[in-house]
Amino acid sequence: MNYYYLAASLPMLKLDEAPGVTSIEFLALCAEHLAVADRDAMDALDDPTAVSGHRFVAAWRAVDTQLRNAVVRARARRLRTDAGPYL
């Protein structure tokens, strides 16, 4: 699969402007150009309840969880409340 072609074909992102492609269109492009395992990983990233054995998905979810927990802790500290139930 030529992932460079896929990346090069995407529209440029600009601040204060809507993206040139919707998430549904992006996933359709990925379905055309990605290998089956990578396409399954993209689907798993799009659906947080999906089970995936892909290493990138596991790493992404771990970092996402850490980031979300950091935000919860910061908000709880600002509101002077317990973050525990939201972690």
Side-chain angles (χ1 to χ4, degrees), residues 56-79:
F56 180 79
V57 173
W60 180 274
R61 287 179 176 170
V63 170
D64 185 56
T65 299
Q66 291 174 356
L67 179 61
R68 289 173 186 269
N69 284 341
V71 170
V72 165
R73 287 185 191 101
R75 287 179 177 169
R77 194 170 31 254
R78 187 185 67 210
L79 297 172

Side-chain angles (χ1 to χ4, degrees), residues 5-8 11 14-16 21 25-26 31 33-34 36-37 39 50 54-55 57-58 60 64 68 73 75 85-86:
Y5 173 79
L6 173 62
K14 297 177 184 175
L15 292 175
D16 299 326
V21 62
E25 292 169 336
F26 175 71
H33 297 284
L34 297 182
V36 174
R39 189 170 49 238
H54 199 282
R55 291 183 330 189
V57 173
W60 180 274
D64 185 56
R68 289 173 186 269
R73 287 185 191 101
R75 287 179 177 169
Y86 306 102

Side-chain angles (χ1 to χ4, degrees), residues 39-54 57 61:
R39 189 170 49 238
D40 291 344
M42 286 293 297
D43 291 339
L45 288 172
D46 192 42
D47 178 9
T49 63
V51 177
S52 175
H54 199 282
V57 173
R61 287 179 176 170

Side-chain angles (χ1 to χ4, degrees), residues 6-22 26 29:
L6 173 62
S9 69
L10 294 173
M12 183 180 290
L13 295 175
K14 297 177 184 175
L15 292 175
D16 299 326
E17 288 185 21
V21 62
T22 66
F26 175 71
L29 281 171

